[in-house]
């Protein structure tokens, strides 16, 4: 099996201009490997485009900063019972967060928000949404970048779903929308509509958006094989209450305008 580089997705390392990071498409005997995740996404993007649909995604990447051996969170003073948005903890790790943010800005990702998340030692960093494949590639690179910068500062970054017992786990919220054209050519969000009457319309969701939401719910159990691919993933679902009192992990197939439980 060969990984064939995709030159359209190359990223020059902001911290080492001599090196490029390039995602690859898995190929065997001249054919795309059907099961390879990037190939699956490329195929589905084409199927959607054939119907005039262009999927855009945004994600919220969460990670812990740990000691180099991975045994403890990196900041011994980050010990509040409810540490979410702790400004003091942010200042103690500002060098790491700022360096990653500056690199995202240099790459043109539109980095716009960082915070100390719900667990001690946990962080979230966000950048602008984009076409689905571009976001997927950026997410993969972001993990590599965060780990590299953390190591440079003497820490370890982990995106493991449940790395610390008793603390809120790492999630990755996905925001999905469908547009009338790819990239900068898109003008209309197919899922958006003027607010009307009815459960869906009052939220500004179009009928097509409602069907999409129904599809997500219908296939939620099967989707868990993708969204929760490891044993460690399941340690977040129906987990005991954490020190902060919340897990931020869904345990029912449901929908509403704003449900954070």
């Amino acid at each position: 099996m060969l990984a064939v580089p995709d030159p359209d997705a190359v990223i020059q390392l902001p911290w080492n201009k001599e090196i490029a990071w390039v995602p690859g498409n898995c190929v065997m005997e001249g054919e795309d490997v059907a099961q390879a995740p990037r190939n699956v996404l490329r195929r589905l993007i084409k199927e959607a485009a054939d119907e005039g649909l262009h999927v855009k995604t945004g994600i919220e990447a969460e990670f812990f900063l740990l000691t180099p051996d991975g045994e403890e969170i990196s900041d011994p003073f980050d010990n509040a019972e409810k540490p979410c948005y702790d400004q003091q903890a942010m200042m103690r790790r500002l060098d790491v967060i700022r360096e990653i943010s500056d690199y995202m800005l240099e790459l043109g990702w539109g980095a716009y928000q960082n915070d100390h998340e719900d667990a001690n030692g946990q962080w979230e960093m966000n950048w602008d949404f984009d076409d689905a494949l571009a976001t997927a590639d950026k997410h993969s690179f972001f993990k590599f970048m965060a780990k590299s910068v953390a190591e440079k500062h003497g820490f370890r970054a982990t995106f493991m779903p449940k790395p610390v017992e008793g603390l809120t786990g790492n999630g990755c919220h996905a925001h999905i929308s469908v547009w009338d054209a790819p990239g900068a050519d898109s003008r209309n969000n197919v899922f958006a509509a003027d607010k009307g009457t009815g459960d869906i319309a009052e939220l500004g969701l179009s009928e097509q958006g409602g069907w999409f939401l129904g599809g997500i719910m219908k296939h939620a159990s099967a989707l868990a094989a993708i969204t929760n691919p490891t044993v460690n993933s399941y340690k977040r679902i129906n987990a005991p209450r954490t020190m902060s009192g919340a897990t931020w992990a869904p345990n029912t197939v449901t929908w509403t305008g704003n449900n954070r439980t």
Side-chain angles (χ1 to χ4, degrees):
M1 184 173 71
L2 302 176
V4 180
D6 182 349
D8 293 332
V10 64
I11 298 176
Q12 185 181 28
L13 301 195
W15 64 93
N16 190 333
K17 305 290 188 182
E18 298 178 352
I19 299 176
W21 179 94
V22 193
N25 300 318
C26 293
V27 174
M28 187 177 294
E29 297 182 353
E31 300 288 337
D32 285 347
V33 177
Q35 301 89 342
R38 198 171 191 270
N39 290 341
V40 173
L41 181 56
R42 290 167 59 226
R43 185 174 69 249
L44 293 174
I45 288 172
K46 183 180 183 306
E47 289 181 12
D50 290 342
E51 298 184 20
L53 305 175
H54 303 275
V55 180
K56 293 180 180 288
T57 55
I59 57 99
E60 302 177 23
E62 297 179 353
F63 61 95
F64 278 81
L65 287 176
L66 305 176
T67 54
D69 59 10
E71 294 297 321
E72 302 174 8
I73 64 171
S74 67
D75 181 0
F77 299 104
D78 187 355
N79 54 17
E81 289 185 8
K82 294 183 181 293
C84 200
Y85 309 133
D86 185 345
Q87 58 187 0
Q88 295 300 130
M90 170 67 81
M91 295 306 297
R92 289 193 295 271
R93 290 294 172 263
L94 185 62
D95 288 350
V96 178
I97 303 303
R98 180 168 54 192
E99 185 170 342
I100 298 171
S101 293
D102 286 346
Y103 290 152
M104 287 196 288
L105 291 171
E106 183 178 337
L107 291 168
W109 288 13
Y112 64 87
Q113 189 267 343
N114 309 307
D115 69 77
H116 184 295
E117 257 301 318
D118 195 61
N120 308 98
Q122 187 183 43
W123 307 90
E124 176 179 300
M125 307 185 71
N126 297 297
W127 61 90
D128 286 345
F129 71 100
D130 203 343
D131 292 340
L133 185 62
T135 294
D137 288 339
K138 290 175 184 178
H139 188 199
S140 292
F141 181 80
F142 176 81
K143 292 181 178 181
F144 168 68
M145 177 166 60
K147 292 176 181 180
S148 298
V149 173
E151 289 177 4
K152 170 187 171 183
H153 289 269
F155 308 126
R156 175 186 289 189
T158 179
F159 294 79
M160 189 176 180
K162 186 72 169 175
V164 184
E165 185 178 2
L167 296 182
T168 310
N170 287 320
C172 181
H173 291 120
H175 303 266
I176 306 171
S177 55
V178 169
W179 296 73
D180 55 356
D185 294 330
S186 59
R187 294 293 180 269
N188 298 304
N189 182 349
V190 178
F191 289 171
D194 293 334
K195 288 190 176 182
T197 57
D199 292 342
I200 292 176
E202 69 179 15
L203 297 174
L205 195 63
S206 69
E207 184 179 45
Q208 196 163 13
W211 284 114
F212 173 83
L213 181 58
I216 292 290
M217 295 178 69
K218 178 180 179 180
H219 297 287
S221 295
L223 283 170
I226 298 172
T227 59
N228 301 69
T230 69
V231 171
N232 188 260
S233 302
Y234 285 91
K235 293 182 179 179
R236 291 195 68 206
I237 299 180
N238 286 333
R241 292 180 69 84
T242 63
M243 288 178 60
S244 71
T247 67
W248 300 96
N251 55 21
T252 58
V253 179
T254 186
W255 78 277
T256 184
N258 186 14
N259 183 351
R260 299 289 182 141
T261 60

